[in-house]
Amino acid sequence: MYILGIESSCDETAASIIKADPKTGRIQVLSNIISSQIEIHKKYGGVVPEVAAREHVLNILPVINESLIKAKITPDSLDLIGVTRGPGLITSLITGVETVRTLAFAWNKPVIEVNHIDGHIHANFIDPASKINYPALIMTVSGGHTNLVKMDKTGKIKILGETRDDAAGEAYDKGAKMMGLGYPGGPIIAQYAEKYQLDQKRNPQKTDKRELPINLPRPMINSVDLDFSFSGLKTALLYQLQKDKNWRERLPEYCYEYQRAIIDLLISKTIKAARKIKARTVMLSGGVSANNELRARMTETVARQLPGVNFLVPAKGYTTDNATMIAVAAFYQIKRQKPTDFSRMRVDASLQLK
Ligand code: KG4
Ligand code: ZN
């Protein structure tokens, strides 16, 4: 099957073509085109929905065209189109869905509407070498979502835990904004934290006695549920910065401590959830899973604390928003359900995972 995936839920306009074998499940990525608007939104310190929507309108057809050229196929060869229906920014989603409605009509192709989070989950299904054993536990950590999900071998999912306030990526982005570091905050905080770690390795230094110790909380880390909370951590960072007149000189240390708190929370609840459901595979997904420290610590912790459980994380290019994950999710969905009638397609900005 040749499947075209389209993603436009936030600030990336993306189109991808995969070749998927329904018998073996093997996936070949023929093209993965992403037009990112990060440079445009950077100057505003975050995504401006109206600007994002206009950019999607300008980019979507060239991006789709490029995905076809790169894959060396014409629209006649397509068997299915998958498109993100939600959650996301409403005007951004509309561009993707309305474009697909038109193409499905013009090309006479079946359509599958995909939940963006389900797309992130399926980024782990791209690599043919990945061996997934069930029940599997997936933690999706992105700019808008932090979810712990159980998946059984039929593909049925159950939400085990989620954030009660900010998402993990949002904690990175808001923390970075507070420290005047720009957007998106995740990769910048990660870079400063790495610098601090390297400096400490080369030249270990204790915090100067005159300096304020950086003590950040781990909200809800010991709660019995599998939910997360990051807003208290963000506020604690703000109070620390306000109290410390030297915080600018200690930026790498602040980034290191803040990142460590976020990652401690993510790892602790993932291990707890994996034990609870007796998971046989643990997977990470979403933009925050691009983080080297999270990838390394999760690999190490799963190996140490969950013997016999394998750990998967998508290749870096498939952690942040892309359309390959949407095409793959559509491939798995079409095995279980009929395509959507294109006249009935509807965006849903707050679409829930089910
Ligand atoms: O999945 P994604 O591209 O978009 C959403 O669905 O939200 O995730 C974007 C989020 C942003 O919050 C960004 O700061 C974070 O992922 N992110 C990272 C890294 N790269 C992106 N967070 C931590 N470390 C990174 N290396
Ligand atoms: Zn995303």
Side-chain angles (χ1 to χ4, degrees), residues 121 137-141 146-150 158-163 225-228 265-274 282-284 298 353:
I121 290 172
L137 176 80
I138 308 113
M139 184 174 68
T140 304
V141 268
T146 307
N147 289 319
L148 275 169
V149 169
K150 174 187 172 183
K158 183 176 175 213
I159 298 183
L160 305 172
E162 57 200 342
T163 182
D225 54 60
L226 296 168
D227 286 344
F228 300 87
L265 289 167
L266 296 177
I267 291 186
S268 151
K269 290 287 164 105
T270 302
I271 300 292
K272 191 183 266 182
V282 170
M283 299 182 247
L284 271 183
M298 195 69 99
L353 199 58

Side-chain angles (χ1 to χ4, degrees), residues 116 120 142-144 169-170 172-173 184-187 190 286-288 290-291 319-321:
H116 182 77
H120 276 302
S142 70
E170 202 176 348
Y172 270 105
D173 295 338
V288 179
N291 187 278
T319 52
T320 44
D321 289 350

